[in-house]
Amino acid sequence: MSTPHTVFNTPEYVPRDTADVVRTVRDSRGRAENLKVHGGEPVDEGLAVPAQPAVVSLRRMNHVLDINLGRRTVRVQAGAKLADIDRTLGAHGLGLPIVGDHRDITAGGFASVGGVSTASHKHGLFIDHVVDLEYVDVDGRIGTCGRSHHAERFHRILGAGGRAGIITALTLDTIEVDKDHTWLTTAAHRFLEFDLFVDHAHAEIARPGSAELQVGRWVDTAPLKVARPVGTGHVQLGTVRFGQWSSLSPSSPTRSLRARREVGSRARKSLGAIASAAGGKAGTPVRNAAAGAVLFTPKVQTLRDAEYLADTALSSSERGPAYRMGVFAPLSSYTSVFHRLHDLFAGHRERTGCFTVITAMTYGVRSRYLQAESAARGLPAEDHGLITFTCRLRPTALPSELLRDIVSGVEEICRSENALRYTAE
């Protein structure tokens, strides 16, 4: 069995196979709340991590077990990274329809939170493409379930964040695609007014046309206060409010466009690395620039590069304390949800100064799973738009009473607008 060691003052187990997972669960008295599942390596963002249940890391359970070319499916262990799975499939002319925008996301972790991407307007959620899975329940028993057997249990485990059982292996649908040689051209529309950005995003989500990928991003920074050289008080240098909607469609690139893609990609990666290392107030302009750089998507890029665009700059610039949340908004109430969420976070920033940069990302989601989830709650079965906000915290962080107020505000918006909260934890 895997031997526990300490990570962040927390026992960590690294099982090598399903039998190891069973022994770990049983050693934890068979109670799921005693365990927290990680797909890969632990992440340290420089924050104080409170005491928490024992961690089960599946990073050693990372193999592609079988590729069925006839059925176009792939069987993988839960700790396998989607980027590695996709590369392996590429040798057979196949690919995953939905991957996360960061290369370290694992199959089990993505399935546990539903899984969305900039291709979700076309292919739905990651869990829409899970055929069946193997899991270990809270009593340490191995079970299997899928679309055609134990379907109720199957849907209970998917998207449950590990609370209904630890996923140890999955069978996934694939599609025929050559991601390294499928070139996409970006049609970008830029906005300085939030209202126009939201209206355009709604129209594109409702009618995506031939777009393989689609994404909208909005960046809204707080005024930068600078102490006056003489006297007292501060000088405000203004804000940056800027948005872009990008639709990426198949194309045949020219040599010059390919060269521009290489230059742009290297520039964003460098800026992201600098932003990741920049600390304190002096680093604020660099982090803001990195957050904005991802808006200027390359004119042309491969499908594989486009799927991981956020990995090159945005993720680096957003490391550190932040409040992150997401909702699936029905298209009928999409614009209202977007405006109300933005007003909520901007209002708290203005009144309390708890946030600095507010960024939003959005795209369409056409998912069988979400429609079934809506129907189970007595809501209309509609297509959705995913709206996520990342609000960077000031060094003083977020007082618990203010956080409760913000969470309450988000929940009220979801209730009144028939939106579904997306919990990626």
Side-chain angles (χ1 to χ4, degrees):
M1 178 183 171
S2 57
T3 302
H5 62 282
T6 301
V7 178
F8 305 139
N9 299 318
T10 301
E12 184 196 47
Y13 295 86
V14 189
R16 299 183 180 183
D17 53 31
T18 301
D20 244 1
V21 175
V22 169
R23 288 189 286 270
T24 298
V25 172
R26 289 177 177 172
D27 280 0
S28 299
R29 305 184 190 92
R31 296 176 57 83
E33 55 265 35
N34 288 336
L35 298 172
K36 184 176 179 64
V37 183
H38 284 176
E41 298 288 344
V43 177
D44 181 6
E45 293 186 337
L47 304 178
V49 178
Q52 53 179 294
V55 171
V56 179
S57 171
L58 303 182
R59 61 179 178 268
R60 289 184 182 174
M61 297 176 61
N62 59 3
H63 300 293
V64 174
L65 303 174
D66 178 65
I67 298 176
N68 190 317
L69 297 179
R71 297 177 57 195
R72 291 196 308 188
T73 61
V74 59
R75 182 77 173 172
V76 302
Q77 289 183 303
K81 295 180 181 181
L82 296 183
D84 295 337
I85 299 170
D86 219 24
R87 286 287 187 187
T88 302
L89 289 171
H92 302 276
L94 300 174
L96 296 174
I98 298 293
V99 299
D101 56 6
H102 304 302
R103 287 176 170 81
D104 291 333
I105 294 176
T106 62
F110 214 36
S112 294
V113 298
V116 291
S117 84
T118 53
S120 287
H121 70 287
K122 185 174 181 178
H123 296 294
L125 299 176
F126 181 74
I127 55 179
D128 287 316
H129 301 279
V130 178
V131 179
D132 56 51
L133 57 85
E134 176 191 81
Y135 67 94
V136 175
D137 69 13
V138 295
D139 295 317
R141 295 174 299 197
I142 301 173
T144 63
C145 54
R147 295 172 185 164
S148 58
H149 66 289
H150 302 303
E152 183 178 348
R153 185 184 308 157
F154 180 63
H155 287 286
R156 186 171 66 249
I157 293 174
L158 290 175
R163 293 181 294 275
I166 299 175
I167 298 174
T168 54
L170 311 91
T171 302
L172 309 172
D173 285 325
T174 68
I175 57 175
E176 292 185 18
V177 64
D178 184 350
K179 293 188 177 182
D180 290 309
H181 297 93
T182 298
W183 288 87
L184 305 177
T185 295
T186 303
H189 299 268
R190 299 186 175 102
F191 303 88
L192 298 178
E193 296 183 24
F194 184 69
D195 292 359
L196 295 178
F197 168 76
V198 173
D199 289 343
H200 185 86
H202 179 260
E204 293 285 346
I205 289 172
R207 296 178 295 277
S210 63
E212 288 289 329
L213 307 177
Q214 61 171 208
V215 61
R217 293 188 175 92
W218 179 262
V219 176
D220 188 338
T221 69
L224 182 62
K225 296 181 179 181
V226 181
R228 293 175 180 171
V230 180
T232 60
H234 295 81
V235 175
Q236 290 193 341
L237 299 183
T239 63
V240 174
R241 304 183 76 241
F242 184 79
Q244 175 174 294
W245 177 269
S246 300
S247 295
L248 291 80
S249 302
S251 70
S252 299
T254 64
R255 182 178 298 178
S256 63
L257 285 177
R258 294 191 188 195
R260 286 171 54 186
R261 165 241 183 187
E262 290 296 330
V263 173
S265 177
R266 292 176 183 177
R268 280 189 307 280
K269 288 180 180 179
S270 298
L271 186 57
I274 295 171
S276 179
K281 292 183 178 180
T284 298
V286 180
R287 290 192 296 272
N288 291 351
V294 78
L295 296 175
F296 295 92
T297 55
K299 182 66 178 177
V300 64
Q301 55 191 316
T302 66
L303 175 55
R304 192 179 303 281
D305 283 347
E307 287 178 326
Y308 293 109
L309 179 62
D311 209 25
T312 63
L314 191 63
S315 61
S316 297
S317 67
E318 287 187 348
R319 287 178 183 168
Y323 176 76
R324 299 177 175 88
M325 58 76 58
V327 301
F328 294 108
L331 288 188
S332 60
S333 60
Y334 172 87
T335 56
S336 177
V337 172
F338 212 152
H339 281 287
R340 290 180 65 183
L341 288 173
H342 181 269
D343 290 347
L344 174 69
F345 299 128
H348 275 286
R349 181 174 65 183
E350 183 177 346
R351 289 190 300 272
T352 69
C354 58
F355 300 134
T356 55
V357 181
I358 297 174
T359 60
M361 185 170 67
T362 184
Y363 39 77
V365 182
R366 287 170 171 78
S367 164
R368 298 186 304 272
Y369 180 90
L370 275 187
Q371 290 191 351
E373 183 72 12
S374 296
R377 301 188 185 194
L379 304 176
E382 295 186 61
D383 290 330
H384 293 75
L386 175 67
I387 304 170
T388 66
F389 275 89
T390 299
C391 305
R392 288 189 58 83
L393 301 176
R394 294 192 184 278
T396 53
L398 197 63
S400 57
E401 62 274 11
L402 181 56
L403 176 59
R404 285 194 294 268
D405 189 31
I406 292 173
V407 171
S408 177
V410 171
E411 296 298 339
E412 170 55 29
I413 292 171
C414 290
R415 281 193 300 269
S416 61
E417 303 284 2
N418 292 334
L420 302 173
R421 183 73 184 269
Y422 179 48
T423 304
E425 298 179 349

XYZ file of all heavy atoms in Angstrom, residues 212-293:
592
model
N -15.060 26.463 -34.229
C -14.608 25.289 -33.494
C -14.447 25.610 -32.011
O -14.739 24.785 -31.150
C -13.272 24.803 -34.059
C -13.365 24.141 -35.422
C -14.027 22.785 -35.362
O -13.888 22.094 -34.331
O -14.690 22.419 -36.344
N -13.945 26.806 -31.732
C -13.774 27.282 -30.365
C -14.345 28.686 -30.284
O -14.346 29.431 -31.266
C -12.298 27.309 -29.963
C -11.469 26.033 -30.141
C -10.015 26.292 -29.762
C -12.038 24.890 -29.330
N -14.811 29.071 -29.107
C -15.278 30.439 -28.896
C -15.027 30.827 -27.445
O -15.126 30.000 -26.538
C -16.767 30.589 -29.220
C -17.700 29.751 -28.382
C -19.176 30.082 -28.578
O -19.985 29.898 -27.683
N -19.558 30.564 -29.749
N -14.688 32.086 -27.233
C -14.454 32.554 -25.869
C -14.509 34.071 -25.831
O -14.057 34.758 -26.752
C -13.088 32.051 -25.328
C -11.930 32.565 -26.184
C -12.893 32.438 -23.868
N -15.099 34.596 -24.773
C -15.097 36.027 -24.520
C -14.416 36.313 -23.199
O -14.604 35.576 -22.219
N -13.596 37.377 -23.171
C -12.893 37.752 -21.935
C -13.026 39.240 -21.692
O -12.943 40.045 -22.625
C -11.413 37.352 -22.005
C -11.178 35.847 -22.036
C -9.697 35.528 -21.907
N -9.446 34.094 -21.816
C -9.188 33.308 -22.846
N -9.139 33.826 -24.069
N -8.971 32.029 -22.687
N -13.209 39.588 -20.427
C -13.341 40.978 -20.014
C -12.368 41.238 -18.873
O -12.257 40.431 -17.945
C -14.766 41.275 -19.565
C -14.971 42.691 -19.103
C -14.969 43.142 -17.811
C -15.189 43.836 -19.925
N -15.180 44.492 -17.776
C -15.315 44.952 -19.064
C -15.279 44.027 -21.299
C -15.534 46.248 -19.538
C -15.499 45.313 -21.772
C -15.629 46.402 -20.898
N -11.653 42.348 -18.943
C -10.705 42.742 -17.892
C -11.105 44.112 -17.375
O -11.326 45.040 -18.153
C -9.256 42.792 -18.429
C -8.298 43.291 -17.344
C -8.824 41.416 -18.917
N -11.190 44.226 -16.061
C -11.623 45.474 -15.423
C -10.717 45.705 -14.215
O -10.798 44.989 -13.219
C -13.081 45.335 -14.989
C -13.689 46.639 -14.489
O -12.929 47.530 -14.076
O -14.919 46.755 -14.502
N -9.826 46.694 -14.297
C -8.881 46.929 -13.210
C -9.339 48.076 -12.317
O -10.052 48.975 -12.765
C -7.477 47.261 -13.746
O -7.505 48.548 -14.367
C -7.034 46.233 -14.768
N -8.914 48.050 -11.075
C -9.198 49.132 -10.138
C -8.225 50.275 -10.379
O -7.126 50.073 -10.910
C -9.074 48.627 -8.700
N -8.596 51.503 -10.000
C -7.643 52.622 -10.118
C -6.373 52.325 -9.334
O -6.420 51.775 -8.233
C -8.410 53.792 -9.507
C -9.849 53.422 -9.613
C -9.892 51.930 -9.453
N -5.232 52.645 -9.923
C -3.947 52.456 -9.259
C -3.612 53.714 -8.466
O -3.458 54.788 -9.030
C -2.855 52.177 -10.288
C -1.447 51.916 -9.739
C -1.452 50.674 -8.857
C -0.452 51.771 -10.876
N -3.529 53.576 -7.151
C -3.250 54.719 -6.289
C -1.751 54.858 -6.065
O -1.081 53.904 -5.693
C -3.970 54.570 -4.950
C -5.492 54.566 -5.070
C -6.152 54.441 -3.711
C -7.669 54.462 -3.841
N -8.335 54.359 -2.517
N -1.241 56.061 -6.294
C 0.184 56.339 -6.128
C 0.340 57.494 -5.147
O -0.310 58.532 -5.288
C 0.832 56.705 -7.479
C 2.311 56.975 -7.292
C 0.619 55.580 -8.489
N 1.216 57.301 -4.157
C 1.436 58.358 -3.173
C 2.075 59.581 -3.825
O 2.964 59.452 -4.676
C 2.327 57.835 -2.035
N 1.625 60.765 -3.445
C 2.203 61.998 -3.989
C 3.615 62.206 -3.434
O 3.889 61.920 -2.277
C 1.330 63.194 -3.621
C -0.032 63.177 -4.302
C -0.890 64.323 -3.797
N -2.207 64.313 -4.453
C -3.214 65.096 -4.080
N -3.061 65.925 -3.071
N -4.352 65.030 -4.726
N 4.516 62.725 -4.254
C 5.887 62.968 -3.780
C 5.932 63.981 -2.642
O 6.754 63.876 -1.746
C 6.598 63.509 -5.023
C 5.746 63.082 -6.169
C 4.354 63.037 -5.664
N 5.066 64.971 -2.691
C 5.043 66.025 -1.686
C 3.630 66.117 -1.122
O 2.653 66.065 -1.862
C 5.450 67.395 -2.278
C 5.412 68.462 -1.183
C 6.833 67.307 -2.898
N 3.514 66.262 0.178
C 2.190 66.415 0.775
C 1.580 65.073 1.104
O 2.260 64.049 1.180
N 0.276 65.091 1.247
C -0.447 63.875 1.608
C -1.428 63.511 0.507
O -1.661 64.253 -0.428
C -1.201 64.091 2.931
O -2.119 65.187 2.742
C -0.245 64.419 4.061
N -2.017 62.319 0.665
C -3.015 61.900 -0.301
C -2.436 61.003 -1.387
O -1.274 60.617 -1.357
N -3.281 60.698 -2.378
C -2.895 59.802 -3.449
C -3.354 60.340 -4.802
O -4.244 61.177 -4.889
C -3.512 58.399 -3.248
C -2.999 57.697 -2.036
N -3.480 57.955 -0.762
C -2.043 56.744 -1.894
C -2.854 57.183 0.106
N -1.982 56.439 -0.560
N -2.714 59.857 -5.832
C -3.105 60.183 -7.195
C -3.644 58.903 -7.836
O -3.012 57.850 -7.733
C -1.912 60.701 -8.028
C -2.326 60.918 -9.482
C -1.380 61.986 -7.428
N -4.822 58.971 -8.480
C -5.392 57.818 -9.147
C -5.053 57.864 -10.632
O -5.308 58.866 -11.297
C -6.910 57.770 -8.949
C -7.305 57.432 -7.517
C -8.777 57.071 -7.407
O -9.565 57.403 -8.287
N -9.137 56.394 -6.333
N -4.506 56.755 -11.132
C -4.071 56.708 -12.515
C -5.110 56.107 -13.462
O -4.817 55.848 -14.621
C -2.769 55.909 -12.611
C -1.584 56.474 -11.823
C -0.345 55.628 -12.067
C -1.324 57.924 -12.218
N -6.316 55.875 -12.989
C -7.376 55.415 -13.870
C -7.477 53.901 -13.957
O -6.731 53.167 -13.323
N -8.428 53.450 -14.761
C -8.717 52.033 -14.881
C -8.543 51.553 -16.327
O -8.480 52.350 -17.251
C -10.161 51.735 -14.444
O -11.059 52.424 -15.340
C -10.411 52.208 -13.028
N -8.479 50.241 -16.455
C -8.475 49.603 -17.766
C -9.724 48.734 -17.842
O -9.923 47.839 -17.016
C -7.219 48.728 -17.972
C -7.315 47.959 -19.295
C -5.963 49.578 -17.929
N -10.591 49.014 -18.810
C -11.807 48.219 -19.009
C -11.832 47.829 -20.480
O -11.958 48.680 -21.355
C -13.058 49.014 -18.621
C -13.005 49.545 -17.188
C -14.281 50.266 -16.792
N -15.365 49.322 -16.503
C -16.504 49.271 -17.171
N -16.699 50.066 -18.209
N -17.450 48.416 -16.829
N -11.720 46.528 -20.715
C -11.508 46.090 -22.081
C -12.003 44.655 -22.241
O -11.824 43.838 -21.355
C -10.015 46.155 -22.405
C -9.666 45.814 -23.820
C -9.838 46.736 -24.831
C -9.171 44.566 -24.147
C -9.508 46.432 -26.144
C -8.840 44.244 -25.457
C -9.017 45.183 -26.461
N -12.651 44.368 -23.371
C -13.124 43.015 -23.620
C -12.879 42.578 -25.047
O -12.713 43.412 -25.946
N -12.835 41.267 -25.225
C -12.693 40.715 -26.569
C -13.500 39.434 -26.685
O -13.484 38.591 -25.778
C -11.233 40.410 -26.901
C -11.047 39.706 -28.255
C -9.606 39.528 -28.640
O -8.899 40.506 -28.877
N -9.132 38.286 -28.698
N -14.197 39.299 -27.806
C -14.842 38.033 -28.144
C -14.078 37.425 -29.301
O -13.815 38.083 -30.305
C -16.302 38.227 -28.537
C -16.902 36.920 -28.938
C -16.951 36.379 -30.185
C -17.482 35.941 -28.063
N -17.524 35.124 -30.156
C -17.856 34.833 -28.859
C -17.713 35.895 -26.679
C -18.459 33.702 -28.319
C -18.308 34.761 -26.149
C -18.679 33.688 -26.961
N -13.720 36.138 -29.174
C -12.959 35.446 -30.211
C -13.712 34.213 -30.676
O -14.111 33.376 -29.852
C -11.582 35.026 -29.688
O -10.829 36.146 -29.282
N -13.921 34.109 -31.978
C -14.453 32.901 -32.596
C -13.356 32.324 -33.482
O -12.821 33.029 -34.350
C -15.692 33.220 -33.434
O -16.749 33.687 -32.620
N -13.024 31.058 -33.276
C -11.932 30.427 -34.011
C -12.502 29.373 -34.953
O -13.150 28.410 -34.508
C -10.931 29.786 -33.050
C -10.087 30.760 -32.205
C -10.846 31.298 -31.018
C -8.812 30.086 -31.731
N -12.267 29.564 -36.245
C -12.838 28.689 -37.270
C -11.734 28.094 -38.136
O -10.643 28.668 -38.250
C -13.812 29.484 -38.154
O -14.847 30.058 -37.362
N -11.995 26.929 -38.768
C -10.979 26.267 -39.598
C -10.494 27.165 -40.735
O -11.267 27.931 -41.321
C -11.726 25.048 -40.150
C -12.802 24.785 -39.155
C -13.224 26.126 -38.647
N -9.190 27.067 -41.049
C -8.624 27.903 -42.102
C -7.363 27.250 -42.660
O -6.873 26.243 -42.145
C -8.278 29.289 -41.575
O -7.161 29.214 -40.700
N -6.801 27.864 -43.722
C -5.508 27.478 -44.289
C -4.575 28.663 -44.147
O -4.697 29.654 -44.884
C -5.655 27.079 -45.766
O -6.523 25.977 -45.898
N -3.634 28.643 -43.197
C -2.816 29.820 -42.907
C -1.713 30.051 -43.929
O -1.238 29.113 -44.576
C -2.219 29.484 -41.535
C -2.105 27.989 -41.559
C -3.319 27.505 -42.321
N -1.317 31.289 -44.057
C -0.166 31.634 -44.884
C 1.107 31.527 -44.051
O 1.066 31.421 -42.825
C -0.300 33.064 -45.417
O -0.274 33.981 -44.301
C -1.600 33.247 -46.184
N 2.262 31.574 -44.715
C 3.540 31.484 -44.004
C 3.729 32.655 -43.051
O 4.223 32.498 -41.939
C 4.680 31.438 -45.012
C 6.058 31.289 -44.368
C 7.140 31.191 -45.421
N 6.948 30.008 -46.257
C 7.737 29.711 -47.279
N 8.757 30.511 -47.611
N 7.524 28.614 -47.990
N 3.314 33.863 -43.471
C 3.492 35.037 -42.613
C 2.628 34.941 -41.367
O 3.050 35.352 -40.277
C 3.153 36.314 -43.390
O 1.796 36.316 -43.782
N 1.404 34.407 -41.500
C 0.536 34.256 -40.322
C 1.108 33.234 -39.355
O 1.027 33.396 -38.139
C -0.866 33.845 -40.757
C -1.729 34.945 -41.391
C -3.061 34.385 -41.849
C -1.948 36.093 -40.423
N 1.727 32.179 -39.885
C 2.347 31.188 -38.997
C 3.510 31.812 -38.234
O 3.716 31.523 -37.048
C 2.843 29.985 -39.807
C 1.733 29.177 -40.441
C 2.269 27.874 -41.002
N 1.264 27.167 -41.779
C 1.357 25.904 -42.145
N 2.423 25.195 -41.786
N 0.421 25.319 -42.849
N 4.276 32.663 -38.896
C 5.395 33.343 -38.235
C 4.886 34.273 -37.143
O 5.457 34.335 -36.044
C 6.212 34.123 -39.264
N 3.807 35.000 -37.415
C 3.224 35.891 -36.401
C 2.731 35.091 -35.205
O 2.835 35.530 -34.060
C 2.068 36.693 -37.012
C 2.514 37.809 -37.946
C 1.347 38.411 -38.686
N 0.287 38.853 -37.788
C -0.891 39.317 -38.196
N -1.145 39.388 -39.504
N -1.797 39.709 -37.335
N 2.212 33.898 -35.464
C 1.739 33.051 -34.373
C 2.882 32.671 -33.434
O 2.741 32.681 -32.212
C 1.083 31.814 -34.970
C 0.859 30.674 -33.972
C 1.614 29.439 -34.415
N 1.372 28.305 -33.542
C 2.026 27.171 -33.645
N 2.941 27.005 -34.580
N 1.791 26.182 -32.815
N 4.045 32.337 -34.000
C 5.194 31.956 -33.186
C 5.661 33.124 -32.318
O 5.933 32.963 -31.122
C 6.338 31.481 -34.083
C 6.086 30.158 -34.770
C 5.957 29.020 -33.768
O 6.594 29.099 -32.690
O 5.226 28.070 -34.058
N 5.749 34.315 -32.907
C 6.194 35.490 -32.157
C 5.218 35.815 -31.032
O 5.606 36.062 -29.886
C 6.354 36.702 -33.099
C 6.643 37.966 -32.298
C 7.458 36.447 -34.104
N 3.926 35.810 -31.349
C 2.920 36.129 -30.339
C 2.889 35.126 -29.213
O 2.747 35.494 -28.042
N 3.033 33.842 -29.547
C 3.011 32.802 -28.531
C 4.179 32.944 -27.561
O 4.012 32.856 -26.342
C 3.048 31.430 -29.203
O 3.106 30.397 -28.243
N 5.368 33.214 -28.090
C 6.539 33.372 -27.222
C 6.420 34.610 -26.345
O 6.810 34.595 -25.167
C 7.792 33.450 -28.081
C 8.130 32.133 -28.784
C 9.328 32.276 -29.701
N 9.590 31.036 -30.424
C 10.545 30.899 -31.323
N 11.343 31.930 -31.614
N 10.725 29.751 -31.936
N 5.858 35.689 -26.893
C 5.710 36.921 -26.113
C 4.760 36.711 -24.943
O 5.026 37.161 -23.822
C 5.211 38.049 -27.012
N 3.643 36.017 -25.170
C 2.681 35.787 -24.091
C 3.255 34.874 -23.014
O 3.033 35.082 -21.824
C 1.384 35.209 -24.647
C 0.465 36.242 -25.261
C -0.890 35.630 -25.597
N -0.757 34.430 -26.420
C -0.555 34.450 -27.732
N -0.482 35.605 -28.353
N -0.448 33.341 -28.415
N 4.005 33.843 -23.444
C 4.607 32.953 -22.452
C 5.614 33.701 -21.587
O 5.662 33.511 -20.370
C 5.286 31.778 -23.154
C 4.315 30.771 -23.755
C 5.065 29.641 -24.436
C 4.099 28.630 -25.040
N 4.804 27.527 -25.726
N 6.396 34.580 -22.198
C 7.384 35.348 -21.437
C 6.705 36.292 -20.468
O 7.111 36.413 -19.301
C 8.280 36.144 -22.404
O 8.997 35.275 -23.257
N 5.661 36.968 -20.937
C 4.937 37.894 -20.067
C 4.284 37.159 -18.912
O 4.271 37.631 -17.770
C 3.888 38.652 -20.878
C 3.127 39.776 -20.157
C 4.097 40.807 -19.598
C 2.131 40.429 -21.101
N 3.740 35.976 -19.192
C 3.131 35.185 -18.137
C 4.147 34.774 -17.079
O 3.854 34.807 -15.883
N 5.360 34.392 -17.512
C 6.403 34.005 -16.562
C 6.827 35.185 -15.699
O 7.045 35.057 -14.488
C 7.603 33.440 -17.316
N 6.940 36.367 -16.314
C 7.308 37.565 -15.557
C 6.220 37.903 -14.555
O 6.495 38.236 -13.394
C 7.552 38.752 -16.516
C 8.766 38.466 -17.399
C 7.754 40.047 -15.729
C 8.948 39.481 -18.517
N 4.956 37.822 -14.995
C 3.843 38.140 -14.106
C 3.782 37.189 -12.930
O 3.444 37.575 -11.809
C 2.530 38.093 -14.890
N 4.112 35.927 -13.179
C 4.081 34.931 -12.116
C 5.103 35.249 -11.035
O 4.879 34.998 -9.850
C 4.350 33.545 -12.692
O 4.338 32.561 -11.687
N 6.251 35.821 -11.431
C 7.317 36.131 -10.481
C 7.175 37.504 -9.853
O 7.801 37.786 -8.826
C 8.672 36.029 -11.178
N 6.367 38.381 -10.472
C 6.235 39.755 -9.976
C 5.361 39.787 -8.725
O 4.249 39.270 -8.722
C 5.624 40.647 -11.064
N 5.862 40.388 -7.678
C 5.114 40.464 -6.435
C 4.918 41.891 -5.960
O 5.577 42.818 -6.429
N 3.992 42.063 -5.016
C 3.766 43.377 -4.418
C 3.119 44.374 -5.370
O 2.728 44.055 -6.491
N 3.035 45.628 -4.904
C 2.406 46.672 -5.703
C 3.187 46.949 -6.976
O 2.608 47.284 -8.016
C 2.285 47.955 -4.882
C 1.294 47.856 -3.727
C 1.169 49.180 -3.002
C 0.147 49.094 -1.868
N 0.030 50.394 -1.146
N 4.500 46.809 -6.921
C 5.319 47.091 -8.098
C 5.012 46.134 -9.239
O 5.170 46.468 -10.411
C 6.810 47.016 -7.744
N 4.558 44.945 -8.904
C 4.256 43.969 -9.943
C 2.849 44.059 -10.494
O 2.517 43.355 -11.445
N 2.015 44.929 -9.923
C 0.622 45.035 -10.365
C 0.494 45.367 -11.849
O -0.280 44.720 -12.563
C -0.131 46.073 -9.524
O -0.146 45.640 -8.153
C -1.572 46.228 -10.003
N 1.217 46.373 -12.377
C 1.080 46.658 -13.812
C 1.457 45.473 -14.698
O 0.840 45.244 -15.735
C 2.042 47.840 -14.028
C 2.177 48.477 -12.685
C 2.123 47.340 -11.712
N 2.465 44.697 -14.286
C 2.881 43.541 -15.080
C 1.798 42.466 -15.059
O 1.467 41.866 -16.091
C 4.215 42.967 -14.557
C 4.635 41.757 -15.385
C 5.289 44.031 -14.586
N 1.219 42.215 -13.892
C 0.155 41.209 -13.799
C -1.065 41.653 -14.593
O -1.729 40.830 -15.239
C -0.204 40.964 -12.335
C 0.900 40.234 -11.552
C 0.390 39.755 -10.209
N 0.004 40.865 -9.337
C 0.829 41.492 -8.516
N 2.109 41.133 -8.477
N 0.412 42.474 -7.747
N -1.375 42.946 -14.531
C -2.506 43.451 -15.315
C -2.243 43.269 -16.810
O -3.134 42.910 -17.584
C -2.757 44.927 -15.008
C -3.296 45.141 -13.606
O -3.632 44.174 -12.911
N -3.372 46.382 -13.183
N -1.001 43.532 -17.228
C -0.648 43.393 -18.637
C -0.766 41.936 -19.086
O -1.229 41.646 -20.191
C 0.760 43.914 -18.883
N -0.357 41.007 -18.218
C -0.445 39.585 -18.565
C -1.897 39.140 -18.678
O -2.256 38.348 -19.553
C 0.286 38.746 -17.522
N -2.741 39.647 -17.777
C -4.166 39.318 -17.847
C -4.772 39.841 -19.139
O -5.623 39.203 -19.758
C -4.905 39.899 -16.644
N -4.317 41.017 -19.576
C -4.836 41.592 -20.809
C -4.242 40.959 -22.050
O -4.876 40.944 -23.107
N -3.029 40.406 -21.951
C -2.353 39.860 -23.130
C -3.115 38.705 -23.747
O -3.082 38.506 -24.962
C -0.938 39.402 -22.756
